[in-house]
Amino acid sequence: MVFVNLVYSRFVFVHIETLCGGKLLICFFFFFLTESKVPSGARRIKPDLISQQQLRTRMLNASELSLPSLPSPRLRPGDRLLQPLWDHLLLHHRPLVSSPFLPVMLAFSSYFVFSLPFAALDLLGERVPSFHKYKIQPDRQPTLGMMVKSFMAAFLNHIFFVLPAVVIGMLFLPAPALPQEAPTLYELVTQSLASLLLFDTQYFIWHLVHHKQPQLYRWVHAVHHEYTAPFSWSTEQLSIPELMTVGFWSNMDPVLLKCHPLSIWCVTVFSLWLSVEDHVGYDLPWALNHLVPFGLLGGAPAHDMHHQRPSRNYAPFFSHWDRISGTAVALKKKTRTK
C-alpha cells in the first residue's frame, strides 16, 4: 500500500526585505514523496485528511522564528553604470586608488599626453596645412628648445616641490577613507562642474590681482608670460608660488565640496585638458569653446589674446567673470606677414 509521508522538518525560509523596509517571510515546504510500507501500528495520514487550517497554523508557527535582517540596497540612478567600475577599482587596484600620489600622476600624465600631439603639430608647421591654417599667431612658431625648456620646468617643479609636498601631507594628514558606493552620473557631473566653477573664480581673482600689482607680477606670474604666443608645453610653465597655489586649490576645493574620488579624478583630467587647450595656440573649430554654446568657455582664442594683451581675459576656463568685469576681449587673429 502506498502512503504519503509529510516531512515537516525539512523546509527553507527565504527572508526578503523590500525597498519599503517591510519584511516578507516565505516558508517553502518540501514534500518528499516516498513509497514505503508503513509498519504496523504506525499512524497513517492521508493528504486529503489534512485540513487547510492545520497547514495555515503550522506556517504561522514557523514564521515566528527570528531570522537576521539583511541590509537593504539603495537603488539610485546611475549606480548600474559606475558601481561596477568602482567595485573593480576597490577590489583590484585599492593600493593605487588610495595612494595620495595618484592625483599628481593623473595631472602630470594628462599634461604630457594632451600636449604631445600639439607639440608635433607645432614642429611640423606648414607641412600640415589642414591644421596650420588654424594657428592664431602663425608668425610665432615655437622651437624645440622652447618646448624642452617649458617641459623641463614643469617636470622639475613636480619632482622638487609637488612630490615633497605630497609626502609632507602624508605625514601630517590622515588618509581619506574610500567610500563603498560609486557616485551617480548626476553627482559626477555636478561635483565636477562645481569644482571647475570654484577654481575658475579663485584663479580669476588671483590672476587679476597679480596683473594689477607690478611686484606680484614680476616675482610670481611673469614666468608664465615669457612667451606672447603660448604653446601646449607652456601650460605648466609656472613659478613655484603659482604652482603651489594652484595645487592647493585643486586639492582643497573637492574636499570643501565633498566630492567623490571618481569626481576628483575626472575633474583633474578634464581641467588639464581645458588648460592645455587654452594654450595650444590653435583656434580649432571642434574645440570645446566652439562646441559649448553661448560662448561660456574662453578657450584658446581668449587665452591667446591674454598673452598678447595681459590686461584682458583673466579667467582660466569660463568667460562670465571677464564679461562681468569688463575685461573680456575678442580674438583678433593675425595673418602671416609676407
Side-chain angles (χ1 to χ4, degrees), residues 23 173 194 285:
K23 296 179 179 179
L173 298 177

Side-chain angles (χ1 to χ4, degrees), residues 97-100 169-178:
V97 298
S98 60
S99 172
M170 292 172 57
L171 297 177
F172 295 99
L173 298 177
L178 293 175

Side-chain angles (χ1 to χ4, degrees), residues 295-317:
L296 296 177
L297 293 177
H303 199 71
D304 204 285
M305 285 302 298
H306 171 71
H307 278 257
Q308 297 180 48
R309 300 176 60 184
S311 60
R312 295 290 185 268
N313 295 347
Y314 296 112
F317 304 139

Side-chain angles (χ1 to χ4, degrees), residues 81-99:
L81 292 176
L82 297 178
Q83 192 64 48
L85 170 62
W86 184 242
D87 291 340
H88 176 79
L89 292 175
L90 292 181
L91 181 61
H92 300 286
H93 305 284
R94 181 176 285 271
L96 175 64
V97 298
S98 60
S99 172

Side-chain angles (χ1 to χ4, degrees), residues 16 57 93 107 136 174 185 202 205 208 214 225 233 243 248 255 261 285 288 294-295 321 326:
I16 301 175
T57 301
H93 305 284
I136 298 175
L185 288 178
Q202 293 166 330
I205 298 173
L208 177 65
H225 280 267
W233 293 119
L243 176 66
F248 177 78
V255 175
L288 286 177
F294 311 116
W321 285 121

Side-chain angles (χ1 to χ4, degrees), residues 37-44:
K37 293 183 178 180
V38 179
S40 61
R43 183 181 178 184
R44 297 176 178 179

Side-chain angles (χ1 to χ4, degrees), residues 190-206 245-246 248-259 267 315-318 320-321:
T190 54
Q191 290 174 1
S192 300
L193 181 60
S195 297
L196 288 174
L197 288 171
L198 179 57
F199 179 85
D200 191 79
T201 302
Q202 293 166 330
Y203 192 81
F204 174 82
I205 298 173
W206 183 96
T245 302
V246 171
F248 177 78
W249 289 335
S250 300
N251 285 275
M252 290 306 300
D253 289 351
V255 175
L256 295 176
L257 297 173
K258 298 181 179 179
C259 295
V267 77
F317 304 139
F318 300 96
H320 57 278
W321 285 121

